[in-house]
Structure formats: structure tokens, C-alpha cells
Amino acid sequence: MCLNAEVPLIESGTAGYNGQVELIKKGLTQCYECTPKATQKSFPGCTIRNTPSEPIHCIVWAKHLFNQLFGETVDDEDISPDVADPEAKGEVDENSKNDAEKAADEKVPGDGNVVRVNTRQWAKDNHYDAQTLFNKFFYDDIKYLLSMSNLWKTRKPPTPIKWDSLLLKQDETDQSYSRQYHKIWSLAECAAVFADCLKKLKLNLEKMDQGDSLVWDKDDQPAMDFVAACANIRGYIFEIGRKSRFEIKSMAGNIIPAIATTNAITAGVVVLHTFKVLQNQLDKCKSVYMRLRPNPRNQLLVPEKFLTAPNKNCYVCAAEPAIHLRIDTKRVHIKEFRDEVLIKTLNMVNPDVIVDAKGVVVISSEEGETECNESKLMSEMDIVDGVLLKCDDFFQNYELSIIIVHIDAERDEPLFEVIADPNQLKPKEEETVKTSEKENGKTDDVSDGPSTSKKSKINEVLDDDDDLCLIEDDDDHNVSKPTDKSATEEVTEATDKLQVKSPEKPIATKRKTTTVDDDITEILDSDEEDGPTQSKRTKRSEPDEKGVINID
């Protein structure tokens, strides 16, 4: 909004002990979108499922477990052992076979219960029984992981835990620990929280409409307690350092703690920048960064030397980032959008169109690739108000960004309107040619063809196959008219200035030169070979001392 209104924006933020203050002004400094944003850190699925080594791995696994039981199910967030782990592949030794046989004797499914019904459906069938779920996730699955012997050649193997183990037979009469968020819960306390949260989350899920699911929220106590308990139980199994609920909340919710002094200092720098803006000293509003430790110049507040210029390729703050298309997205089909808007109005030939935010291909130049989209309305393809489309016409080197502005067109109103500078609606090749012409000092208005010569248009060949035609566009030559009257009429219809000469026999002529314009010399050559004379054109060079014309 500040960019569109051309109002200076003093942007600031803190992250722990770090802080920054910068000015955002259209045309003067960079904006949010000028620099690419860091991608969110992710972890390999096989590490989360099979071989966790850090507390964050256990926390991510616990959040996935919550979604499998109560939230929106995602295939990539499966919490079962990953049988496709490349490290697990290899020769299976006798010990692993024995382990598998023992597992079968203990009534553990041979496949580790990996191939099964949806996790949530399985949990519902078991009435979310704490003991059943606990033994499945923290005993059966761990036993199956142990059967993958290759995973534990260089790692310490995990320790499966059963619900009725001695570690869990402790007195749980005191429930005050569940409120001690800065304390690291014991294994028995984690199991008790696990059972209590299952009951609460089950009730919350049953209150929702059929097909709806819970959404994990760090501020939802049962959801947060469930993740904290499951993460610590898994950490105990893999001998990974456990965390308090407070620490797990900050890690699971991507929370960076706020430091009061950092906020105060950063706010002070914002006020100093405000004074400069009010005094119209924008060039002095350089970005300032606050650091925990002094830099080599002993500075805690480190200013930039210069204002950071905007990125010329930024689609938000560039001089002409995109055109605006006012269109009724509820009445215009994709085929109409392509034919009427892109091809007829925006001068494209064979466009490709992608929804920028989602990367969805709406229109493809490949034949038949997006034919199924043609009958759909734009709104059905999620092309609604505010959507940015990236259009590319490869054949013309023509790229264009289109910002969709939805309108409810009345009966007599047009369905779309393009709001743009006409100079934007041109392929890059045309602009390049015009630029090169200006640089060469050529301003002649030529409709077709290269700008270095006049273009001759050859029409149909005469009916007599033995005759060859030479067509010249030079008005200074008087060429005799051919005897074939109908052929002359055909040539005359194309252009009044073109004439046809059909020689009866080859004639050798001397070289002659005629001046076409100020800087073009036409030279007619004729050797003793059969056929018409050929036309060559070149720039005339200045004669040297001997009076010879140099021809390139």
C-alpha cells in the first residue's frame, strides 16, 4: 500500500538479540520482494521416521502424529517406519532374520504394521485407547525399526517401551507437573499427559462436523501437551536430549523470544529515521542492523554505507512491474481469455500462462497439454481478484505479468479491460530492432523486412516457364513492358511501381551504377552467363586517391 501511494515506510523487526530498521520508498530503495526469501528448513522423511538424532526431529515427528490422528492427513507426514530408506537396503543377516521371527512370535505384524488402514480410522476403531496407541507407536514400530539392521551398524539402536513397563508404574496421583512448563517431564509423566490429551482431543474432534479435522496450534493446550509428551517419549527411546514444554513450544511454533532491550533500541532507531523522513532527508535513512556482539569496528548498530537500490526485476516495485486486467472472472472462460485477451488484445501468438503464487500451468503452448482447462471459467481455476499471472510467448520473446482485477460486468459492459502503457504490450525483439535502428542513425519508416535495404516483393511467375523475371523497385530505370498483357496486370495489382522485364536472349551489358538514395549505391552486374541480371546493394565508401570505389 505504501508503494502504491508512494508513502515512505520505515520497516523494522527484531529476532532475539538481532534487529534491523530500513526505509522502503518506491524508486529509491528495495522493497520486501526485491530479495528472495529464505526457504523454510525441512528434514528428510527417512530421518524423521527412522533415525532421529536431534530434539527437533522428535518434535516434527510428534506434530505429524497429531495430524495423522486428529488433523489433516498428508502423505509426506506419515510417521510409520520408512521401508524405502536407502540405508536400510542391503544384505539381511541372520540376526535380523531372527529378530523378525521373534517379532512374529510376539504377535508383531511382519510388516511392522506399515501397510494398514488410515491411521485415524485405525485409532477410531480402537476408540483412541491410550495403551493400544502407545504400544503401536513406541513399541511395535520401534521393534520393526530394529529389524532394519543396516540402520544400526554405526548408530545406537533405540529401546522399545511398553505401556505396562516398570518405568510407567509410578504414582501419578499428583497432576501438578502438567502445569510446570519449565520442567522436563519424566517418562511416566509424559505417558500420563499422552493419555489425558488423547481423551480431550478425541472429544474436540467428535464435536466437529463430519469430515472436519483439528488444526494444531501452539496455543491450544491439549494439542501442545500432546506434542510435548510424544516428542519426549520418542527422545527417551532414541536417547536424545529431552526438552521442557516451554522449549518445545518455541521450537514447534517457530517462536523466537523477544528481548526487551533489543526492541527498545530498535524502536529508538525508528524514531531517528522518522525525523529524517519528516525533514525530507531520505538519503540519510540508511538501513541499520543491530547485532549481539560488536563487529570488527566495535559497532553494535551497524549502518549500511548506501541506500539499497530496488531490484529492477522485482515484480512489485519495478517501474512497470505488470499490467492490470479488469475482467469478469465468473463469466470468462480460459479459452476466451487466451483468444480474446492474450492473442487479440495483448498481441501474443502462442502464450504460456502460469499462476505465479502456485506455479499452476493454466495455458500451455504445447498442443493438447491444457486443453481440459479451456472450458473452465477463470474463477474455477482460482484466477480471482488479486492473482498474478506470468505470461510468456516464447516465439516472440514476449513476457508479461498480469494482475487480475475482478469486476462484475453489467449486461452492456465489456467483459474485460486492459490497463497498461502501450509500450508494455510489445515483444522484446521489436524493441531491440528499434533501438539498433536509432543507434545506426536510421529513421526511415519501413513497413517490412530489415531496415538496411528496400524490400522487393515478387509476385506470381509468368505463365511462360522459359521466361525469368527480374523485379526492381528503382523508379529511375525505364524498363520496356512485356508483351504478355495479363502478366502485367497481375504485377500492377501488387504495386504500381514494379515492372517486369523478360529478355528474349541473354545480353552481356557493361557494369553501370545508379544512385538509389543518399547512402545506397545500386550496381547491376552481368557476366556472360545466361539469365537475368542480379541486383546488389551496398553502402558507398568515399573514393580514395585513385578514384576507386571500395565495395564491401
Side-chain angles (χ1 to χ4, degrees), residues 186-224:
S186 67
L187 186 60
E189 292 170 342
C190 289
V193 173
F194 174 81
D196 182 60
C197 291
L198 280 176
K199 296 178 183 178
K200 295 179 180 178
L201 294 172
K202 176 188 174 184
L203 293 175
N204 293 340
L205 184 61
E206 291 174 348
K207 294 178 182 178
M208 304 188 72
D209 296 335
Q210 185 69 23
D212 290 344
S213 57
L214 300 179
V215 178
W216 187 84
D217 185 358
K218 67 182 187 304
D219 295 321
D220 182 10
Q221 182 178 346
M224 186 64 241

Short mmCIF file of all heavy atoms in Angstrom, two decimals, residues 186-224:
data_model
loop_
_atom_site.label_atom_id
_atom_site.label_comp_id
_atom_site.label_asym_id
_atom_site.label_seq_id
_atom_site.Cartn_x
_atom_site.Cartn_y
_atom_site.Cartn_z
N SER A 186 9.17 -36.46 33.33
CA SER A 186 9.71 -37.82 33.33
C SER A 186 8.94 -38.67 32.32
O SER A 186 7.90 -38.25 31.80
CB SER A 186 9.60 -38.44 34.73
OG SER A 186 8.23 -38.62 35.07
N LEU A 187 9.44 -39.87 32.06
CA LEU A 187 8.78 -40.74 31.10
C LEU A 187 7.36 -41.09 31.56
O LEU A 187 6.42 -41.11 30.77
CB LEU A 187 9.60 -42.01 30.90
CG LEU A 187 9.12 -42.98 29.83
CD1 LEU A 187 9.09 -42.30 28.47
CD2 LEU A 187 10.02 -44.21 29.78
N ALA A 188 7.19 -41.36 32.86
CA ALA A 188 5.86 -41.67 33.38
C ALA A 188 4.93 -40.48 33.26
O ALA A 188 3.74 -40.63 32.93
CB ALA A 188 5.98 -42.11 34.85
N GLU A 189 5.44 -39.29 33.51
CA GLU A 189 4.62 -38.09 33.38
C GLU A 189 4.21 -37.85 31.92
O GLU A 189 3.08 -37.45 31.64
CB GLU A 189 5.38 -36.89 33.95
CG GLU A 189 5.56 -36.96 35.46
CD GLU A 189 6.52 -35.89 35.99
OE1 GLU A 189 7.29 -35.34 35.17
OE2 GLU A 189 6.50 -35.63 37.20
N CYS A 190 5.14 -38.12 31.02
CA CYS A 190 4.81 -37.96 29.60
C CYS A 190 3.71 -38.93 29.19
O CYS A 190 2.81 -38.57 28.42
CB CYS A 190 6.07 -38.20 28.75
SG CYS A 190 7.31 -36.89 28.86
N ALA A 191 3.76 -40.18 29.70
CA ALA A 191 2.73 -41.16 29.37
C ALA A 191 1.37 -40.74 29.91
O ALA A 191 0.34 -40.91 29.25
CB ALA A 191 3.12 -42.53 29.91
N ALA A 192 1.36 -40.18 31.13
CA ALA A 192 0.10 -39.71 31.71
C ALA A 192 -0.48 -38.55 30.91
O ALA A 192 -1.70 -38.47 30.66
CB ALA A 192 0.32 -39.32 33.17
N VAL A 193 0.38 -37.60 30.48
CA VAL A 193 -0.08 -36.48 29.65
C VAL A 193 -0.59 -37.00 28.31
O VAL A 193 -1.61 -36.52 27.79
CB VAL A 193 1.07 -35.47 29.46
CG1 VAL A 193 0.66 -34.39 28.45
CG2 VAL A 193 1.45 -34.83 30.78
N PHE A 194 0.09 -38.00 27.75
CA PHE A 194 -0.32 -38.61 26.48
C PHE A 194 -1.74 -39.15 26.58
O PHE A 194 -2.60 -38.89 25.71
CB PHE A 194 0.68 -39.72 26.13
CG PHE A 194 0.31 -40.52 24.92
CD1 PHE A 194 0.58 -40.06 23.64
CD2 PHE A 194 -0.31 -41.76 25.06
CE1 PHE A 194 0.24 -40.80 22.52
CE2 PHE A 194 -0.66 -42.51 23.94
CZ PHE A 194 -0.38 -42.04 22.67
N ALA A 195 -2.03 -39.88 27.65
CA ALA A 195 -3.36 -40.47 27.84
C ALA A 195 -4.42 -39.39 28.06
O ALA A 195 -5.53 -39.46 27.50
CB ALA A 195 -3.34 -41.44 29.01
N ASP A 196 -4.09 -38.37 28.84
CA ASP A 196 -5.05 -37.31 29.13
C ASP A 196 -5.37 -36.50 27.86
O ASP A 196 -6.53 -36.15 27.62
CB ASP A 196 -4.48 -36.41 30.23
CG ASP A 196 -5.44 -35.29 30.62
OD1 ASP A 196 -6.56 -35.62 31.06
OD2 ASP A 196 -5.07 -34.11 30.48
N CYS A 197 -4.36 -36.21 27.07
CA CYS A 197 -4.57 -35.43 25.84
C CYS A 197 -5.38 -36.20 24.81
O CYS A 197 -6.18 -35.61 24.07
CB CYS A 197 -3.23 -35.00 25.25
SG CYS A 197 -2.33 -33.79 26.24
N LEU A 198 -5.20 -37.53 24.75
CA LEU A 198 -5.98 -38.32 23.82
C LEU A 198 -7.48 -38.18 24.09
O LEU A 198 -8.29 -38.05 23.17
CB LEU A 198 -5.56 -39.79 23.89
CG LEU A 198 -4.28 -40.19 23.14
CD1 LEU A 198 -3.95 -41.66 23.38
CD2 LEU A 198 -4.41 -39.91 21.65
N LYS A 199 -7.85 -38.19 25.37
CA LYS A 199 -9.25 -38.06 25.74
C LYS A 199 -9.80 -36.69 25.33
O LYS A 199 -10.88 -36.59 24.75
CB LYS A 199 -9.42 -38.26 27.24
CG LYS A 199 -9.04 -39.66 27.73
CD LYS A 199 -9.19 -39.75 29.25
CE LYS A 199 -8.75 -41.11 29.76
NZ LYS A 199 -8.85 -41.19 31.25
N LYS A 200 -9.05 -35.63 25.62
CA LYS A 200 -9.52 -34.28 25.32
C LYS A 200 -9.61 -34.04 23.81
O LYS A 200 -10.59 -33.47 23.31
CB LYS A 200 -8.59 -33.25 25.96
CG LYS A 200 -8.60 -33.28 27.48
CD LYS A 200 -7.63 -32.25 28.05
CE LYS A 200 -7.64 -32.28 29.58
NZ LYS A 200 -6.66 -31.30 30.16
N LEU A 201 -8.58 -34.48 23.08
CA LEU A 201 -8.58 -34.26 21.64
C LEU A 201 -9.65 -35.09 20.94
O LEU A 201 -10.25 -34.65 19.95
CB LEU A 201 -7.20 -34.59 21.07
CG LEU A 201 -6.06 -33.66 21.52
CD1 LEU A 201 -4.71 -34.18 21.06
CD2 LEU A 201 -6.27 -32.24 20.98
N LYS A 202 -9.93 -36.28 21.47
CA LYS A 202 -11.00 -37.11 20.92
C LYS A 202 -12.35 -36.41 21.06
O LYS A 202 -13.15 -36.37 20.11
CB LYS A 202 -11.02 -38.46 21.63
CG LYS A 202 -12.16 -39.37 21.18
CD LYS A 202 -12.24 -40.61 22.05
CE LYS A 202 -13.47 -41.44 21.68
NZ LYS A 202 -13.62 -42.61 22.57
N LEU A 203 -12.60 -35.82 22.23
CA LEU A 203 -13.85 -35.09 22.45
C LEU A 203 -13.96 -33.88 21.52
O LEU A 203 -15.03 -33.58 20.97
CB LEU A 203 -13.97 -34.66 23.91
CG LEU A 203 -14.13 -35.78 24.93
CD1 LEU A 203 -14.11 -35.21 26.36
CD2 LEU A 203 -15.42 -36.57 24.70
N ASN A 204 -12.85 -33.15 21.36
CA ASN A 204 -12.86 -31.99 20.46
C ASN A 204 -13.15 -32.39 19.03
O ASN A 204 -13.86 -31.68 18.29
CB ASN A 204 -11.51 -31.26 20.55
CG ASN A 204 -11.28 -30.62 21.90
OD1 ASN A 204 -12.23 -30.39 22.66
ND2 ASN A 204 -10.02 -30.35 22.23
N LEU A 205 -12.60 -33.54 18.61
CA LEU A 205 -12.82 -33.99 17.24
C LEU A 205 -14.27 -34.43 17.03
O LEU A 205 -14.86 -34.19 15.96
CB LEU A 205 -11.86 -35.15 16.92
CG LEU A 205 -11.89 -35.68 15.48
CD1 LEU A 205 -11.50 -34.58 14.50
CD2 LEU A 205 -10.96 -36.88 15.34
N GLU A 206 -14.85 -35.05 18.03
CA GLU A 206 -16.23 -35.53 17.92
C GLU A 206 -17.22 -34.37 17.85
O GLU A 206 -18.33 -34.53 17.33
CB GLU A 206 -16.56 -36.45 19.09
CG GLU A 206 -15.83 -37.78 19.05
CD GLU A 206 -16.08 -38.62 20.29
OE1 GLU A 206 -16.64 -38.03 21.28
OE2 GLU A 206 -15.72 -39.80 20.30
N LYS A 207 -16.86 -33.21 18.40
CA LYS A 207 -17.74 -32.05 18.36
C LYS A 207 -17.80 -31.40 16.98
O LYS A 207 -18.70 -30.61 16.70
CB LYS A 207 -17.28 -31.01 19.39
CG LYS A 207 -17.41 -31.46 20.84
CD LYS A 207 -16.88 -30.39 21.77
CE LYS A 207 -16.94 -30.84 23.23
NZ LYS A 207 -16.38 -29.82 24.15
N MET A 208 -16.85 -31.73 16.12
CA MET A 208 -16.77 -31.10 14.80
C MET A 208 -17.65 -31.85 13.81
O MET A 208 -18.07 -32.99 14.05
CB MET A 208 -15.32 -31.08 14.31
CG MET A 208 -14.35 -30.41 15.28
SD MET A 208 -12.70 -30.19 14.61
CE MET A 208 -13.00 -28.90 13.42
N ASP A 209 -17.96 -31.19 12.70
CA ASP A 209 -18.78 -31.79 11.66
C ASP A 209 -18.05 -32.94 11.00
O ASP A 209 -16.80 -33.02 11.03
CB ASP A 209 -19.16 -30.74 10.61
CG ASP A 209 -20.03 -29.64 11.19
OD1 ASP A 209 -20.71 -29.91 12.20
OD2 ASP A 209 -20.00 -28.51 10.64
N GLN A 210 -18.81 -33.80 10.37
CA GLN A 210 -18.22 -34.95 9.70
C GLN A 210 -17.30 -34.48 8.58
O GLN A 210 -17.66 -33.66 7.74
CB GLN A 210 -19.33 -35.83 9.12
CG GLN A 210 -18.84 -37.12 8.49
CD GLN A 210 -18.32 -38.10 9.51
OE1 GLN A 210 -18.69 -38.02 10.68
NE2 GLN A 210 -17.45 -38.99 9.09
N GLY A 211 -16.09 -35.00 8.56
CA GLY A 211 -15.11 -34.62 7.54
C GLY A 211 -14.18 -33.53 7.96
O GLY A 211 -13.13 -33.33 7.32
N ASP A 212 -14.51 -32.78 9.02
CA ASP A 212 -13.62 -31.73 9.50
C ASP A 212 -12.53 -32.34 10.38
O ASP A 212 -12.65 -33.47 10.86
CB ASP A 212 -14.39 -30.68 10.30
CG ASP A 212 -15.30 -29.86 9.40
OD1 ASP A 212 -15.09 -29.90 8.17
OD2 ASP A 212 -16.20 -29.18 9.92
N SER A 213 -11.48 -31.59 10.59
CA SER A 213 -10.35 -32.08 11.39
C SER A 213 -9.80 -30.95 12.24
O SER A 213 -10.05 -29.77 11.99
CB SER A 213 -9.25 -32.65 10.48
OG SER A 213 -8.83 -31.67 9.55
N LEU A 214 -9.02 -31.32 13.25
CA LEU A 214 -8.40 -30.34 14.13
C LEU A 214 -7.17 -29.75 13.46
O LEU A 214 -6.53 -30.39 12.62
CB LEU A 214 -8.01 -30.99 15.46
CG LEU A 214 -9.14 -31.61 16.30
CD1 LEU A 214 -8.58 -32.23 17.58
CD2 LEU A 214 -10.19 -30.57 16.65
N VAL A 215 -6.85 -28.55 13.85
CA VAL A 215 -5.66 -27.87 13.35
C VAL A 215 -4.72 -27.64 14.53
O VAL A 215 -5.15 -27.06 15.54
CB VAL A 215 -6.01 -26.53 12.67
CG1 VAL A 215 -4.73 -25.82 12.21
CG2 VAL A 215 -6.96 -26.76 11.50
N TRP A 216 -3.48 -28.08 14.38
CA TRP A 216 -2.54 -27.93 15.50
C TRP A 216 -2.21 -26.45 15.73
O TRP A 216 -1.94 -25.71 14.79
CB TRP A 216 -1.24 -28.70 15.22
CG TRP A 216 -0.33 -28.70 16.42
CD1 TRP A 216 -0.37 -29.53 17.48
CD2 TRP A 216 0.75 -27.79 16.67
NE1 TRP A 216 0.61 -29.21 18.38
CE2 TRP A 216 1.31 -28.14 17.91
CE3 TRP A 216 1.28 -26.71 15.97
CZ2 TRP A 216 2.38 -27.47 18.47
CZ3 TRP A 216 2.35 -26.04 16.52
CH2 TRP A 216 2.89 -26.41 17.76
N ASP A 217 -2.28 -26.05 16.97
CA ASP A 217 -2.00 -24.67 17.34
C ASP A 217 -1.16 -24.70 18.62
O ASP A 217 -1.52 -25.38 19.59
CB ASP A 217 -3.30 -23.90 17.56
CG ASP A 217 -3.07 -22.42 17.84
OD1 ASP A 217 -1.88 -22.00 17.91
OD2 ASP A 217 -4.05 -21.68 18.01
N LYS A 218 -0.07 -23.98 18.60
CA LYS A 218 0.81 -23.97 19.77
C LYS A 218 0.13 -23.41 21.01
O LYS A 218 0.55 -23.69 22.14
CB LYS A 218 2.07 -23.16 19.46
CG LYS A 218 1.83 -21.67 19.26
CD LYS A 218 3.09 -20.93 18.90
CE LYS A 218 2.89 -19.42 18.86
NZ LYS A 218 1.82 -18.99 17.96
N ASP A 219 -0.94 -22.61 20.82
CA ASP A 219 -1.65 -22.02 21.95
C ASP A 219 -2.83 -22.87 22.41
O ASP A 219 -3.52 -22.48 23.35
CB ASP A 219 -2.14 -20.62 21.57
CG ASP A 219 -0.98 -19.66 21.31
OD1 ASP A 219 0.02 -19.74 22.05
OD2 ASP A 219 -1.08 -18.86 20.36
N ASP A 220 -3.05 -23.99 21.75
CA ASP A 220 -4.09 -24.93 22.18
C ASP A 220 -3.44 -25.90 23.16
O ASP A 220 -2.59 -26.71 22.78
CB ASP A 220 -4.65 -25.67 20.96
CG ASP A 220 -5.78 -26.62 21.35
OD1 ASP A 220 -6.24 -26.56 22.51
OD2 ASP A 220 -6.18 -27.44 20.51
N GLN A 221 -3.87 -25.85 24.44
CA GLN A 221 -3.16 -26.61 25.48
C GLN A 221 -3.13 -28.11 25.21
O GLN A 221 -2.06 -28.71 25.26
CB GLN A 221 -3.78 -26.34 26.86
CG GLN A 221 -3.04 -27.07 27.98
CD GLN A 221 -3.63 -26.77 29.35
OE1 GLN A 221 -4.41 -25.83 29.50
NE2 GLN A 221 -3.25 -27.56 30.34
N PRO A 222 -4.26 -28.80 24.94
CA PRO A 222 -4.17 -30.24 24.68
C PRO A 222 -3.28 -30.59 23.50
O PRO A 222 -2.52 -31.56 23.55
CB PRO A 222 -5.63 -30.64 24.42
CG PRO A 222 -6.45 -29.58 25.05
CD PRO A 222 -5.66 -28.33 24.90
N ALA A 223 -3.36 -29.80 22.43
CA ALA A 223 -2.53 -30.07 21.26
C ALA A 223 -1.06 -29.88 21.57
O ALA A 223 -0.21 -30.70 21.17
CB ALA A 223 -2.97 -29.16 20.11
N MET A 224 -0.73 -28.82 22.30
CA MET A 224 0.66 -28.56 22.64
C MET A 224 1.19 -29.61 23.62
O MET A 224 2.32 -30.09 23.50
CB MET A 224 0.77 -27.15 23.24
CG MET A 224 2.21 -26.69 23.50
SD MET A 224 3.19 -26.54 22.01
CE MET A 224 4.47 -27.73 22.36
#
